[in-house]
Each structure stands twice: as structure tokens, then as C-alpha cells.
Amino acid sequence: MTNKIRIYELAKELDLKSKFVIEFLNDLGADVSNHMSSIDEDIANMLREHFAPEEEAPVPEDDEPKVLKKKRRSFKKEEEERDAGPKLRGKKKRGPRKPGAPEQPSAEKKAKRITLGERVAVNELVQKIGVSGAEVVKQLMKIGVMASLAQSVDYEIAAIVASYFGVETEPERDLAEEIFAPAEPDPAKLVPRPPVVTIMGHVDHGKTTLLDFIRKTKVTATEAGGITQHIGAYQIEYNGKRITFLDTPGHEAFTAIRARGARVTDIAVLVVAANDGVMPQTVEAINHAKAAGVPIIVAINKMDLAAANPDRVKQELTEHGLVVEEWGGDTIAVPISALRGEGIEDLLEMILLVAEMEDVKADPDCPARGTVIDAKLDRGRGPVATVLISQGTLRIGDAFVVGNYCGRVRALINDRGEQIKEAAPSMPVEVLGITDVPQAGDSFVVVQDEQTARQVASIQQEKQRERDLSRTSKVTLDDLYRRIQEGAVKELNLVIKADVQGSAEAVRASLEKLSTDEVRVNVIHQGVGAISESDVLLATASDAVIIGFNVRPDSNARKAAERDGIDIRVYRVIYDLLDDVKAAMAGLLEPEFKEEFLGRAEVRKTFKVPGGVVAGCYVQEGKISRSAEVRVLRDNVIVHEGKISSLKRFKDDVREVSHGYECGIGLDRFNDIKEGDVIEAFVMVKVERTL
């Protein structure tokens, strides 16, 4: 049997980047896909010979690196020339027909691109396009707009007229949009930065133990005494390279940040216990990481236990689209024991390798930009935000804008509680000097002076007020057909929650069959149990509709859905669910009644009375009305739906009981009520459909 060597080991030996070695081998026809692929020893020797002779050749020291570089460049150049061959041949064929054509349109496009505000004076439009006023007025009349040179038209109208004259338009951006617009870094100034890693997984699978072990052993130990964790992120150093870990409470915080349009994580490490396998929260974590589009490394923890079964874990991972490398996939799996510290070195090495393949870089010299990981109001220090720097270097005294607020950096505190003067890319720091507490996921941008910062904050606050007044809704089943017709929706994202796994599978399979040419049904997550706030966050981030089958949203989830405009649909009959989605996609959905939540009460005690059972309840939220319909929830699963037969306060019959009071509730034709059950009251309200 021939010896084999992994790509990354060979790259390290030859002092080359893994990516470069992979490209070189692919050019030679070798079947290698990533840095963990193995090659035979004879191929490895061939590579050693290819790169080694240059260093051994008797040339002056100064020329040595140049010769080596030249050889590598020549290989790249040959590859580029070979790839460019067909393109060049194609260009030659087209050449005689239109000489100089490629350069001309690009120059003309640049000259014929104008920016316009929301309202544009016709006279201004004439000047920007560079044609006569009569021609512009004539075009306006053709599209049914009667406007003189002194009058104004909307941006959309102006854009139509400009396109007739071959001029491209773009909306004029206000100061805030310019400041927060993604900055294009200069490729020449980009340098590698530490990767940002989020650790995710099921409860009690060892996330905290792993983080604690890494922090205690790998943080550069410069301070006296133990390491005090001040903020929810920290940097470690391994083999002279830094890695930033986000110490989040799990995928909820991970998705809360992503829901606000920020992608701060480069790599997700999924911790799975070898004795427990893939659990519901593991599946959630996989779906959240996939939705964010970040590479996943699986850490199979608790390998020191006798019951450890890593093969079972790998098998269960394949059911969720993660195939490990030794089984022919591209997911890296590292066996570890966080308690004993076994395999941690391998895990850190894999993180650095994936970071190298992802090519994470930043420009440390541009104005600093970052994302808020967490924020709080500190009694002694005022508003404090934990910011992860993504580009540039943040320094004390810098004026900045963060979300809807502004400020000047008064102090920077690192993850070890030390005051520092500047923060480089991928460094998490606490920033002091903000006017108010921002939200997690808000963009942080350094501006030239405080006056600019105040102007931008003022614009942002005005926009927030407008958003609050006219909240734009997310995709709902009611307006799905209209959104499809407008081309706004190409796929319907769904989050499915059911009472048992079998139901969830059945609902998913049935819904996915409804996909049409216009819209594809895409289930981004399915799970068992009540609809939680985490599900609403995922729906917010992915613009999804939540489908509940025999389950209900808890109070936090309902409030979050109302706040974010997320459509939650709950069903007890699968055919009703399928009919609704089918009708929505066909544009025939006409909801006549809408459920309006009234309140919920917890059953504290039950009393047997002649003719049935009365539940002694405490109203936790809203109110319970005698005329309302009710459903009984046991562990957030519906066990009964019906009407109230009696509602009493002490011995008196009452019409309704408000939040904070106790009452006795008798249910019509249902006596199997138990302590700990929740009674949810609702009424069905007739709603006129609006489009």
C-alpha cells in the first residue's frame, strides 16, 4: 500500500498556500477538491522536485526568491493563457465586423449615467441628458405626462424618459445611504485577517466546555491572574495566527444579527456529542448556518466516553446534507474531547485551513467599519456596544455612526478588560462614547467628523420613524400571488413546526410537491414543538412564512411575529393547510375570518363538580371572555378546542376576567383538564381582504 499525504501537510512543507497547490494539481489532471484531499507519495515527490531545485541552485541569495516566484508565476501565466485562448479566438472572429467596439460602449456608458432625486425638475433632466427641452417634453407627452420645463416629475417617469435617449439612471443617495453603503476595499491593500468563528450546537453537547478550554489555554496570557471574560467575543492565538470566537448564546443570537443584514461569521463550528448524536437544536444550528452560507466544521465531542459512537453521528449528519470527508463529502469532522483537551489542536488547525481556503482578508488602513455584536446601558459608563471590526482600524477619538446613533470613541476595551488605543480587523472591542444603545447587527462606520456623524444619525432616525409609521410587511399567504405577479417572489420560504416528527415530514413532503414554474416551495427549517422566538428570527432573516401543525406559538414568538410582521399560520388538518397554500399560489385565497388572540390562563388546580370539572386558573396574559372560543394546550400542543361553559370569579358568574386575576373555567364537553395546562382564548373576526 502506497503512503499518502494530505494537501495541507504538503503545502506546509513546501511553504506554499493550499489553494495554490490544489490549482497546480488540478492543472496536472489530479482529482483533488480541497485541502483535506490525499495524494500518493510519488506525486508529492514530484511536487517537491518541481519547487525545491530553485532553492538548491547556486544563485546569489538576493535572486533566490525571485527565481522561485518566477517559476510559480510562469505556471499561473500558462494556465491563464490556456484558459484565455478560446476567448481570444472568439474576439478575433468578431473583430473585423466592429473594430474598436469593446472599448467604445464602455466609455459611452460611463458618460451616459446620471443620478436623479425622488423628484426631478424637467429642466434639470434636460440638462443632465443633454438634449433639447422640446424632445423631453414630447417624450413625456407620449407616456401620458403633461409637464412643462418648470414642473417636476417622479424618479420613475424621469428614468423612462432618460432610457429612451440611451441614458442610464440611478437614484440619488442621501448622506446616510452613502456612509452605510458597502465599501469596496482596494485589492492591493488587502491583508489576511483572523477568521471569525461561531460555535453552535445542542444544549449540553459541550459548547461552553470547549470555549472555556480554548480560552484558558490559547489566549495570549499577558495579564496577571486568571482571564476575565468581559465581552461576548474574544481572540486566541495559535501557531502565531489569531482566531476570533463569538461567544453567543447559540443560533438565536447568530440569526438575530443576520436578520439585520450583517454577516459577521466566517466559519461555524457545530459541536455534536458522540454519545448523543444529532438532536433538534443541532438540526436548527445546521439550518441557520446553511441559511447564512458559511462553511461548517463539525466537532464530534465527548470522544472520551465509553458510549461514544462517532460513526452514528456521521450517519445522522448525512441526513441533513453534511457528508464528512472520509465518506466522500466536503464537511470537515474533527473528533475531540473538550473536557480533556484532546483534538483541540486539530480543530484549531482545521479552522485556520478553512480560513485560508475562504481567503478572509481586510484593509487595515481604511476608515473602520464593523458590526454590533451586543449592546447594553451600563450604569457607570453609559451606552456600551461590543463591536467586531471588519475593515480598517478603529482609534480613540474617531467620530462614528452606529445604526440610528452617533458618537466619538472615548475608550476601547478589549476582551481581557484592558484599555487599548486601537482595534484592528476581526478584533472584538467594547466602544464607549455612543449617544444611545444600538441594536445587535447594526452597522458601525467611522466618519470624517462629528458634524457628519450627527447629520447621518438624524437622517437614520427620521427613516426609522417613517418605517414605524408605515411598516412594510413580509411575505404573507394573503399577498403571495400579488408578489409573484410583480416578480418579487420566486420562492416561498417556509418554517414548519409540528407536534411530532412524522407530521412534520408529511407536511414538508406535501408542501414541496406544490412547487410550480412561478414559485418554488422551499422549507428552510422543520422541527417539533411550539413555535419559538428562534423560529420567528429565522423567518425574519429569510423572509419566510411559519406553518404550525397542531402546535401554537409561545407568547414571546407571537410578540416577535407581530413586531416583525411575520405571517404565522396554524392548522389542525393537513388538507386545510395544503388548500390554503395552493390557493395562495394561484391567487384565489380569500380569507373571510381571522383569529384574534384574547388571552391565556394557566390551570393551577382542578375541582370536580356535578356534571364535570372546573379548572382553577390564573390569567397570565390578556383576558378570558365568556363568549370566546378556547383551546387547551398541554406542552404547547393542542389537546382540545371548544367553548367555555362557565366562567366564575369566586361564586359569581362573570363576562370576562382580566390579566392578573384568578377564575374558574368550565369547558363544554371536555373534562380531561390537568394542572399545568394552558387555556388560550380567541375570537374569530371577519376581515375584508385587501391587496
Side-chain angles (χ1 to χ4, degrees):
M1 182 179 156
T2 56
N3 290 331
K4 287 184 177 279
I5 183 169
R6 289 194 185 272
I7 296 290
Y8 79 89
E9 291 170 350
L10 182 63
K12 193 186 286 185
E13 181 189 322
L14 297 172
D15 194 23
L16 297 170
K17 286 202 169 188
S18 300
K19 194 186 282 187
F20 177 78
V21 175
I22 292 166
E23 286 174 2
F24 187 84
L25 287 167
N26 284 334
D27 185 62
L28 294 174
D31 184 22
V32 291
S33 56
N34 57 43
H35 54 279
M36 291 298 289
S37 301
S38 299
I39 56 170
D40 292 332
E41 193 65 32
D42 53 347
I43 297 174
N45 288 332
M46 188 187 75
L47 259 74
R48 291 187 185 105
E49 286 170 20
H50 183 81
F51 293 108
E54 297 295 342
E55 293 178 11
E56 289 164 14
V59 291
E61 259 183 50
D62 292 350
D63 295 335
E64 214 168 358
K66 289 178 187 172
V67 176
L68 186 60
K69 280 183 184 172
K70 194 173 180 184
K71 184 147 193 176
R72 291 178 195 171
R73 261 202 313 272
S74 68
F75 152 68
K76 291 289 285 181
K77 193 174 177 186
E78 283 167 22
E79 185 183 3
E80 283 163 15
E81 282 171 3
R82 190 192 66 239
D83 292 343
K87 295 176 188 173
L88 290 169
R89 283 195 292 278
K91 280 181 183 175
K92 278 176 189 172
K93 282 178 189 174
R94 288 195 299 270
R97 206 165 52 229
K98 283 189 181 180
E103 288 91 7
Q104 194 60 34
S106 64
E108 203 170 331
K109 268 186 185 177
K110 280 183 185 174
K112 294 287 184 183
R113 191 171 189 86
I114 58 173
T115 57
L116 302 172
E118 284 184 28
R119 296 282 298 172
V120 188
V122 177
N123 204 12
E124 183 192 344
L125 184 62
V126 167
Q127 289 170 5
K128 286 193 173 182
I129 295 175
V131 294
S132 71
E135 286 184 58
V136 170
V137 171
K138 195 198 302 180
Q139 287 306 317
L140 284 167
M141 289 170 71
K142 277 185 181 178
I143 57 174
V145 177
M146 306 300 288
S148 67
L149 291 175
Q151 290 176 311
S152 297
V153 293
D154 289 340
Y155 170 81
E156 287 77 12
I157 302 293
I160 293 167
V161 172
S163 66
Y164 174 80
F165 294 104
V167 177
E168 289 183 16
T169 59
E170 58 183 30
E172 201 170 63
R173 294 195 298 200
D174 61 31
L175 183 61
E177 286 170 338
E178 281 182 23
I179 294 292
F180 284 110
E184 286 295 326
D186 182 356
K189 293 181 180 177
L190 292 179
V191 294
R193 62 169 174 81
V196 180
V197 180
T198 301
I199 296 198
M200 304 161 81
H202 193 71
V203 176
D204 200 33
H205 275 200
K207 298 193 298 290
T208 310
T209 314
L210 173 61
L211 285 165
D212 286 348
F213 184 87
I214 292 171
R215 188 166 69 242
K216 284 171 189 166
T217 56
K218 296 295 173 194
V219 172
T220 315
T222 53
E223 70 280 7
I227 293 154
T228 310
Q229 184 67 13
H230 281 74
I231 58 181
Y234 56 87
Q235 274 196 338
I236 68 141
E237 196 169 295
Y238 176 70
N239 285 354
K241 294 180 181 178
R242 291 179 179 273
I243 304 171
T244 300
F245 283 92
L246 289 191
D247 193 0
T248 64
H251 46 264
E252 290 90 348
F254 176 84
T255 305
I257 292 169
R258 195 171 69 81
R260 299 184 63 78
R263 182 193 158 173
V264 296
T265 305
D266 299 313
I267 300 164
V269 172
L270 183 70
V271 179
V272 189
N275 63 329
D276 219 3
V278 173
M279 301 295 276
Q281 270 185 293
T282 316
V283 178
E284 276 190 42
I286 291 169
N287 291 333
H288 283 243
K290 278 183 178 175
V294 295
I296 300 170
I297 297 175
V298 179
I300 304 175
N301 193 21
K302 302 190 182 182
M303 288 295 290
D304 53 309
L305 298 180
N309 186 353
D311 286 340
R312 182 185 131 205
V313 172
K314 292 169 186 174
Q315 174 62 46
E316 289 174 349
L317 286 171
T318 58
E319 294 166 17
H320 301 284
L322 296 182
V323 183
V324 296
E325 285 180 329
E326 51 261 51
W327 290 10
D330 53 9
T331 301
I332 297 170
V334 184
I336 62 165
S337 169
L339 200 63
R340 295 185 181 177
E342 295 165 6
I344 305 294
E345 305 268 336
D346 295 340
L347 178 62
L348 295 175
E349 195 163 320
M350 289 303 114
I351 288 170
L352 290 173
L353 273 166
V354 171
E356 185 192 308
M357 296 303 292
E358 289 290 305
D359 207 18
V360 291
K361 289 183 175 180
D363 177 4
D365 300 322
C366 65
R369 302 175 81 90
T371 305
V372 176
I373 303 299
D374 199 4
K376 62 186 176 185
L377 185 62
D378 191 286
R379 190 175 291 177
R381 301 182 295 169
V384 179
T386 303
V387 178
L388 185 69
I389 307 300
S390 56
Q391 294 283 345
T393 303
L394 181 64
R395 297 177 177 86
I396 289 176
D398 283 350
F400 62 84
V401 186
V402 54
N404 300 336
Y405 308 110
C406 60
R408 180 178 282 278
V409 180
R410 274 205 332 262
L412 295 172
I413 297 162
N414 69 8
D415 55 335
R416 299 188 292 281
E418 303 163 341
Q419 289 218 10
I420 55 174
K421 290 184 178 177
E422 58 180 42
S426 291
M427 185 181 279
V429 282
E430 279 189 338
V431 178
L432 276 66
I434 315 170
T435 54
D436 209 334
V437 181
Q439 289 185 288
D442 277 350
S443 292
F444 179 100
V445 182
V446 167
V447 292
Q448 56 191 12
D449 52 40
E450 280 189 272
Q451 186 183 352
T452 308
R454 281 194 291 269
Q455 282 180 326
V456 173
S458 173
I459 294 167
Q460 288 290 91
Q461 285 162 16
E462 185 58 41
K463 285 182 181 176
Q464 184 63 48
R465 277 193 289 273
E466 286 173 16
R467 278 197 296 271
D468 291 342
L469 288 169
S470 58
R471 188 184 295 278
T472 51
S473 66
K474 298 279 182 180
V475 172
T476 66
L477 288 189
D478 293 340
D479 72 351
L480 176 64
Y481 183 71
R482 177 175 59 81
R483 301 279 287 271
I484 293 168
Q485 295 301 97
E486 289 171 0
V489 176
K490 294 296 180 192
E491 60 180 23
L492 173 61
N493 290 334
L494 296 177
V495 173
I496 296 172
K497 293 302 281 285
D499 52 345
V500 291
Q501 191 64 44
S503 299
E505 290 288 351
V507 169
R508 178 183 188 143
S510 304
L511 285 169
E512 284 179 340
K513 286 177 188 170
L514 298 179
S515 295
T516 66
D517 295 339
E518 288 85 12
V519 62
R520 185 171 70 87
V521 175
N522 178 31
V523 178
I524 56 172
H525 175 62
Q526 72 176 58
V528 173
I531 296 164
S532 66
E533 194 174 1
S534 168
D535 300 320
V536 177
L537 279 171
L538 182 56
T540 306
S542 309
D543 207 6
V545 174
I546 298 176
I547 302 289
F549 188 71
N550 273 342
V551 293
R552 302 284 303 160
D554 59 33
S555 58
N556 288 342
R558 193 172 56 254
K559 286 170 188 168
E562 284 170 11
R563 183 188 69 230
D564 297 338
I566 294 299
D567 191 17
I568 297 181
R569 297 282 176 136
V570 288
Y571 298 91
R572 297 197 69 191
V573 180
I574 194 167
Y575 299 110
D576 293 346
L577 158 61
L578 296 177
D579 289 348
D580 269 11
V581 176
K582 226 183 279 180
M585 290 166 73
L588 306 170
L589 186 63
E590 294 178 8
E592 294 180 358
F593 290 92
K594 187 179 179 183
E595 183 186 299
E596 188 178 286
F597 172 81
L598 288 182
R600 60 197 292 153
E602 184 188 8
V603 178
R604 297 277 172 91
K605 202 155 182 64
T606 58
F607 306 95
K608 287 192 176 178
V609 295
V613 174
V614 170
C617 301
Y618 174 76
V619 182
Q620 294 177 316
E621 192 182 342
K623 63 180 182 180
I624 304 293
S625 174
R626 172 72 179 79
S627 58
E629 292 186 55
V630 291
R631 58 173 66 90
V632 180
L633 309 178
R634 194 165 292 156
D635 297 326
N636 274 304
V637 174
I638 302 164
V639 293
H640 172 72
E641 205 168 280
K643 294 188 174 294
I644 293 176
S645 60
S646 66
L647 181 64
K648 291 179 182 282
R649 277 273 296 150
F650 301 110
K651 292 185 177 180
D652 302 325
D653 285 316
V654 289
R655 285 186 179 178
E656 63 180 46
V657 180
S658 299
H659 165 62
Y661 290 98
E662 293 179 334
C663 60
I665 301 175
L667 300 177
D668 192 25
R669 297 180 186 174
F670 184 72
N671 294 325
D672 184 29
I673 192 113
K674 294 179 181 174
E675 289 179 24
D677 286 355
V678 172
I679 296 175
E680 199 172 80
F682 63 96
V683 289
M684 301 302 289
V685 182
K686 190 169 184 179
V687 181
E688 293 298 326
R689 185 179 178 203
T690 56
L691 277 177

